[in-house]
Amino acid sequence: MNDQIAKLKEWIDNSDNIVFFGGAGVSTESGIPDFRSVDGLYNQKYDYPPETILSHTFFMAQTEEFFRFYRDKMLCLDAEPNAAHRKLAEWERQGKLRAVITQNIDGLHQKAGSQNVLELHGSVHRNHCMRCHKPYDVQAVAQSTGVPHCACGGIIKPDVVLYEESLDTHTLDASLRYIQSADVLIIGGTSLAVYPAASLIHYYRGHKLVLVNKSETPADAKADLVIHGPIGEIFSQL
């Protein structure tokens, strides 16, 4: 165990007010790709970049093409939690971790056993009719073809925050409160490039800001501890 990981372990062992804020890198070790890393497959199969397809404008204008991409790339229902998800759930059970704040929509934190998960960008596991607001589970979308419709005729929309849409204010406010009062704030698996979520780091008032990510982030210089590497691999040593 290197000095950085040993220091992180010490902080965790001595804290009962940890908050974790994570992004796509938390789930890549579970086989869920970071769609922002555009590969040749996207270019071959789709006429638009992921950020365009996953926008409110595109959803409303080209709904069938949206769902073709969404089912193909955003529904990874066979994925299992990795060491990072499991460690966070363990810390919560031990009374150390107060909340998981995530930009991910895959539900893997809950699948690992985490209870207090704040999903800034929603979840693929929740869907609703745009007309009558009837709720639907993920299978209603996964097993449908074309544009999924409710019995009333309305379009079933995933409860995920698309580009151009606002974050849920209740989820955002709760996230801010947890971050402001945290003793240790661990930010993992995110490049801190997606706003407004990335701005949450500025509300932390403590002196144990930890960044765990494969690559450098704009906030590395502000952190009290920086560890570069796969988060699941690092968390498995704690």
Side-chain angles (χ1 to χ4, degrees):
M1 182 182 295
N2 66 33
D3 292 344
Q4 292 170 312
I5 295 176
K7 187 174 185 179
L8 176 55
K9 187 176 188 308
E10 179 186 345
W11 286 359
I12 291 165
D13 289 345
N14 294 318
S15 177
D16 62 357
N17 186 7
I18 303 166
V19 172
F20 178 81
F21 172 46
V26 177
S27 292
T28 52
E29 289 171 81
S30 292
I32 297 180
D34 178 357
F35 72 84
R36 293 178 65 84
S37 302
V38 182
D39 57 30
L41 181 62
Y42 290 124
N43 296 328
Q44 293 165 19
K45 293 184 67 176
Y46 304 99
D47 297 329
Y48 306 90
E51 287 86 348
T52 299
I53 297 174
L54 295 173
S55 68
H56 180 81
T57 297
F58 193 93
F59 174 83
M60 298 302 293
Q62 301 193 52
T63 313
E64 186 166 354
E65 181 67 5
F66 168 90
F67 276 106
R68 187 168 79 93
F69 177 89
Y70 183 81
R71 291 189 190 95
D72 187 26
K73 291 295 181 183
M74 307 305 289
L75 296 182
C76 304
L77 303 183
D78 293 330
E80 293 294 331
N82 61 53
H85 298 106
R86 293 192 296 270
K87 182 60 70 172
L88 290 165
E90 177 186 319
W91 290 340
E92 186 181 39
R93 288 192 300 271
Q94 294 172 345
K96 293 183 168 297
L97 184 78
R98 298 291 179 89
V100 169
I101 302 165
T102 181
Q103 299 176 81
N104 296 336
I105 59 175
D106 50 49
L108 288 181
H109 285 293
Q110 291 91 331
K111 197 170 185 179
S114 289
Q115 300 294 316
N116 192 22
V117 182
L118 300 167
E119 297 171 309
L120 291 171
H121 295 160
S123 172
V124 300
H125 296 279
R126 297 188 301 271
N127 305 269
H128 70 277
C129 171
M130 296 178 69
R131 180 183 293 176
C132 73
H133 305 293
K134 179 181 177 180
Y136 285 88
D137 64 16
V138 67
Q139 297 301 331
V141 174
Q143 296 175 2
S144 63
T145 57
V147 179
H149 284 89
C150 174
C152 79
I155 295 172
I156 299 173
K157 182 180 184 295
D159 286 346
V160 299
V161 179
L162 303 177
Y163 288 97
E164 304 167 346
E165 294 180 345
S166 300
L167 302 186
D168 178 76
T169 53
H170 296 293
T171 305
L172 186 59
D173 288 345
S175 299
L176 289 176
R177 289 195 298 272
Y178 278 113
I179 287 174
Q180 285 175 335
S181 62
D183 171 29
V184 179
L185 175 61
I186 304 174
I187 298 177
T190 174
S191 60
L192 293 173
V194 179
Y195 284 82
S199 64
L200 294 181
I201 186 175
H202 302 305
Y203 291 85
Y204 177 57
R205 296 171 176 170
H207 303 286
K208 294 177 181 176
L209 174 60
V210 183
L211 293 183
V212 181
N213 197 49
K214 280 187 175 181
S215 56
E216 294 181 0
T217 78
D220 280 14
K222 301 176 183 177
D224 301 292
L225 181 61
V226 177
I227 304 175
H228 289 147
I231 189 168
E233 182 181 308
I234 291 165
F235 273 28
S236 65
Q237 300 176 57
L238 297 171

